[in-house]
Amino acid sequence: MEQELIEIVRTEILDTSEPLTPQSDLFAAGLDSMGIMQLLLAIEDKFGVAIDPADLSRENFSTGAKIAALVAGKQAA
Amino acid sequence: MRRTSQGRHLAATVVELEGTPDLERICRSAERLGKDHPILHARNERSKKDWIARWRTDLASREAVPVRRWHLPGAPTAGGEEVPSLDELIGRIINGTEIDIHAAGPNLIFHVLVLSPDRWVLLLAWSHSLMDAVGMTKLLQLLASDASAPDDSSLAAMDATPVSELYKQAYPMIEEMRKFPSRRPRSLHRKGARPGASRFHVAAFGREETAVIRTKMAATAGELLLLPYFASCAARAVQAVIAARFPEEDASILLSLPVQRQSDPAKRPLFSNHMTPYTLLLTGEELAELKPATSALYRKYADFMRRKLPAAMHALMRMMERCPSRFYNLPAFIYMRGEICSLFHSHTGAFLPGVDTMFGCRIANGYHVPSVSAPPGIGIFFSEHEGQLALTISWKEGCITPLELELLKETLSQDLGIPVP
């Protein structure tokens, strides 16, 4: 899931050829408010998980690994 | 704007810097930029063959971008001409005539204003026909890196998609827009009144004030959804004024927002619009409270994206590029009672992310001041640099009374959780 999320961020949101790893700082790579909105839509579409506003923190969205952990947690709940 | 004698849709981008300006270095950059990008001195002209407006870079000179020097009263040693204040200089720029995209000459001008012995401002005056705020961010990143960028203006060449094909692609957005008139949205433009000069107000919040605003935002909409939150604040402020002006109506707001291109295989040239606008309708009921308004805005954004409307909107914009403005203004004015939207809102987000210094000086703050047309007569913009939020209210004289401006600020103050001066 990590890799899939990273590919979504890299190709569909940041539209960059720069490599990203699960630990890359996505905000430093250019993820902004509009990108977050697009990412939330992609997560809903691809993983069937809706993220609550309460979970929308910089901490939860700072890396691909953390987003994957959040999504996995939501799927398991 | 030009056709209705409202000015030239100019914008000012303000970068506040620490230290003193290195004029030699700034002039070198201005020279290199002008040499690399003939579009900066090109005029824009519609082709007689296909009616598409194009930059005549083939006729443009490769002169340096002009650099103007200014100083505040009492500081003549800083050089340049005297100007009473930074705001006065911004006002002159957004109401200026020196930039005219329909004549050969500069489309971008650097202004250097020394504020104090250890603080100065780089002010970029630019035509909104040249690029949008994302393009400006890319330009500032280029200037900060002190690097050259190849002329990529040929990428802007229009493809030859026939209008009939564009119409098919644009049709979902046309259908969407047909729903708007029934809600009878309004703006602050006063019918019959000739809009005056471009006016603006910038509220630059300090780090503590911004932290208060951020805390309220996190509790209302989460920590990361800046765009729907600040767009809702802006929409509610304009709606408060419209509701006070027309108390018998259920004032809906037609909000024009930028949408980021997704997976765009065609890399955009530096000097171009990097965002596609989209328009959504928010009813009076949806705007009654801030939290539901933010949710409604986000839901409508999601719906817009899921229905692939950005592509339809992009096709519509390309169709409109080929038409004289009267062609699409007339139906808009008939079906929408003369309105195009209730307000403009963009530039939301981090100002120059990832860049700390420019021309050897630390960036202290930065924001944009775009001029707006009437209708809608008002634009509300937010940006943030290193924990400092800046709010820009831009309007056309005659569209909002001093009392209405106070109501607008009061509503913004309530929603932001901090007084807007």
Side-chain angles (χ1 to χ4, degrees):
Chain A
M1 186 193 291
E2 272 180 9
Q3 205 50 46
E4 202 175 344
L5 276 164
I6 285 164
E7 275 311 291
I8 291 170
V9 172
R10 193 180 67 78
T11 60
E12 295 182 22
I13 296 169
L14 299 181
D15 191 20
T16 174
S17 53
E18 294 291 312
L20 290 174
T21 69
Q23 277 68 47
S24 296
D25 182 338
L26 299 181
F27 294 109
L31 185 63
D32 60 7
S33 168
M34 212 175 287
I36 290 283
M37 286 162 70
Q38 288 166 13
L39 182 56
L40 292 178
L41 287 179
I43 289 171
E44 274 187 50
D45 290 345
K46 294 204 192 291
F47 305 107
V49 168
I51 308 285
D52 298 331
D55 293 320
L56 289 176
S57 64
R58 281 187 81 84
E59 175 60 22
N60 282 340
F61 279 78
S62 58
T63 67
K66 286 180 179 169
I67 300 170
L70 177 68
V71 173
K74 294 280 175 192
Q75 282 177 327
Chain B
M1 285 179 75
R2 184 186 170 89
R3 176 154 286 163
T4 49
S5 305
Q6 290 188 46
R8 294 174 174 176
H9 201 9
L10 302 179
T13 295
V14 179
V15 189
E16 288 182 19
L17 296 128
E18 293 176 357
T20 53
D22 182 343
L23 283 164
E24 206 173 299
R25 196 167 164 183
I26 295 167
C27 289
R28 264 203 318 272
S29 264
E31 197 171 322
R32 187 168 55 212
L33 201 61
K35 191 178 165 199
D36 289 346
H37 300 280
I39 194 172
L40 294 174
H41 284 88
R43 66 187 165 89
N44 195 274
E45 183 184 86
R46 281 191 186 277
S47 155
K48 289 188 177 75
K49 193 175 156 197
D50 57 15
W51 200 250
I52 296 175
R54 290 186 176 87
W55 293 101
R56 295 300 307 268
T57 50
D58 53 326
L59 304 176
S61 70
R62 290 182 181 254
E63 290 171 57
V65 168
V67 180
R68 310 260 186 270
R69 294 171 64 194
W70 304 89
H71 68 261
L72 294 177
T77 50
E81 279 183 60
E82 183 176 303
V83 66
S85 64
L86 171 59
D87 281 0
E88 170 72 22
L89 182 56
I90 296 171
R92 284 186 200 178
I93 285 169
I94 61 173
N95 288 293
T97 56
E98 190 176 1
I99 293 178
D100 180 356
I101 61 160
H102 297 291
N107 296 315
L108 169 74
I109 299 173
F110 291 175
H111 297 267
V112 175
L113 169 65
V114 176
L115 296 177
S116 71
D118 58 0
R119 182 70 68 112
W120 63 286
V121 164
L122 174 68
L123 218 157
L124 295 97
W126 49 286
S127 164
H128 236 307
S129 302
L130 190 65
M131 60 184 160
D132 57 14
V134 176
M136 175 46 72
T137 299
K138 288 173 186 287
L139 173 63
L140 290 173
Q141 284 166 340
L142 179 70
L143 291 175
S145 68
D146 218 4
S148 291
D151 175 26
D152 55 3
S153 56
S154 59
L155 289 172
M158 301 284 170
D159 66 34
T161 310
V163 171
S164 57
E165 181 56 34
L166 286 176
Y167 182 79
K168 276 186 212 159
Q169 293 172 17
Y171 192 72
M173 194 63 219
I174 295 170
E175 282 283 273
E176 181 73 8
M177 289 175 130
R178 283 181 176 150
K179 296 176 191 164
F180 299 153
S182 65
R183 300 300 309 194
R184 299 173 72 79
R186 286 191 182 274
S187 74
L188 298 191
H189 174 60
R190 292 174 191 274
K191 289 184 183 58
R194 195 174 185 80
S198 293
R199 302 282 178 222
F200 71 97
H201 173 75
V202 174
F205 298 106
R207 288 188 173 82
E208 279 182 24
E209 293 169 308
T210 302
V212 172
I213 294 167
R214 283 287 206 156
T215 302
K216 185 170 181 206
M217 187 190 91
T220 310
E223 201 181 348
L224 300 175
L225 293 182
L226 274 82
L227 188 139
Y229 183 75
F230 288 122
S232 298
C233 292
R236 276 172 45 80
V238 171
Q239 198 237 13
V241 175
I242 294 171
R245 205 184 276 182
F246 303 101
E248 71 288 356
E249 291 185 15
D250 174 27
S252 293
I253 290 291
L254 199 54
L255 186 60
S256 175
L257 290 166
V259 64
Q260 199 167 16
R261 294 178 196 282
Q262 281 182 295
S263 313
D264 192 348
K267 296 296 173 203
R268 304 284 147 180
L270 173 61
F271 297 103
S272 68
N273 283 331
H274 295 256
M275 311 286 269
T276 298
Y278 75 105
T279 307
L280 59 87
L281 189 103
L282 292 164
T283 64
E285 196 182 338
E286 286 168 332
L287 288 167
E289 300 288 335
L290 181 58
K291 191 169 181 173
T294 306
S295 299
L297 206 155
Y298 174 66
R299 275 198 319 274
K300 289 187 179 190
Y301 170 84
D303 181 56
F304 188 86
M305 298 300 283
R306 286 210 173 95
R307 290 161 60 207
K308 314 279 185 212
L309 287 178
M313 187 69 189
H314 185 54
L316 185 62
M317 299 299 285
R318 284 165 61 204
M319 246 174 74
M320 286 159 62
E321 281 166 1
R322 300 190 186 183
C323 303
S325 53
R326 283 195 184 95
F327 184 85
Y328 49 83
N329 276 347
L330 192 64
F333 278 27
I334 291 169
Y335 295 123
M336 299 287 288
R337 297 188 308 183
E339 307 290 8
I340 49 171
C341 63
S342 301
L343 74 152
F344 291 124
H345 174 81
S346 64
H347 303 294
T348 302
F351 183 89
L352 208 43
V355 179
D356 303 322
T357 60
M358 186 173 281
F359 298 124
C361 297
R362 205 183 80 80
I363 299 171
N365 209 346
Y367 51 88
H368 305 282
V369 184
S371 62
V372 296
S373 61
I378 183 100
I380 300 177
F381 312 99
F382 292 88
S383 66
E384 191 173 340
H385 180 76
E386 287 186 350
Q388 304 163 102
L389 188 76
L391 156 68
T392 303
I393 306 171
S394 180
W395 70 93
K396 276 283 178 197
E397 213 170 63
C399 290
I400 187 165
T401 65
L403 207 60
E404 287 175 335
L405 184 61
E406 283 313 305
L407 173 60
L408 187 99
K409 286 187 192 173
E410 196 182 301
T411 312
L412 282 166
S413 301
Q414 283 169 8
D415 282 354
L416 295 174
I418 201 110
V420 175

